[in-house]
Amino acid sequence: PSPNYEQSVRRRDVVDHFRALVKRLQSTVKEDEDGEDEESLPDGWVKHLNEECDPYYHCIKTNQTTWERPVKPKLPVGWVKYTTDDGAVYYHNELTNSTTWEFPTE
């Protein structure tokens, strides 16, 4: 084969790879538009994309990494989440009038 043929094949491979990446990115953006944003992740978890644009998740607090999307636990009945002006999160129970910095378990 001529050098031009080999260059053409390589360009086509690059273009095909690029199109595949764009498709993956678009599907990831669509997931995020469907409500799967970082706000819906448990506290301390961050979503990343690997080189192939596959999502994976990392917990800053524990340094744990997983391919499975972590599920954000629901607040028990009566608890409300608040954020201070400086970004700190706390929880208040409207039934018992108690407040805590830790995620309530009951």
Side-chain angles (χ1 to χ4, degrees):
S2 71
N4 289 338
Y5 173 79
E6 289 175 6
Q7 287 177 347
S8 174
V9 169
R10 275 189 288 216
R11 282 191 198 118
R12 207 169 326 133
D13 288 344
V14 169
V15 169
D16 288 345
H17 180 72
F18 178 73
R19 285 184 178 145
L21 285 176
V22 168
K23 264 190 170 176
R24 284 191 140 158
L25 281 172
Q26 288 171 334
S27 69
T28 301
V29 169
K30 183 174 181 354
E31 283 177 8
D32 289 346
E33 289 172 352
D34 291 340
E36 293 189 8
D37 58 11
E38 291 199 19
E39 280 294 313
S40 66
L41 290 173
D43 291 338
W45 285 90
V46 180
K47 178 180 179 180
H48 296 282
L49 298 176
N50 68 5
E51 291 175 358
E52 287 80 33
C53 297
D54 296 317
Y56 67 95
Y57 304 90
H58 177 250
C59 181
I60 298 167
K61 296 176 183 177
T62 64
N63 206 28
Q64 179 184 359
T65 302
T66 180
W67 292 107
E68 300 296 319
R69 183 180 184 81
V71 178
K72 186 172 189 171
K74 300 230 183 260
L75 280 171
V77 175
W79 288 94
V80 179
K81 178 181 175 181
Y82 291 98
T83 306
T84 64
D85 291 340
D86 62 350
V89 173
Y90 68 97
Y91 304 90
H92 176 74
N93 188 315
E94 295 177 333
L95 303 174
T96 64
N97 203 29
S98 58
T99 303
T100 180
W101 294 104
E102 302 297 320
F103 190 89
T105 56
E106 47 182 74

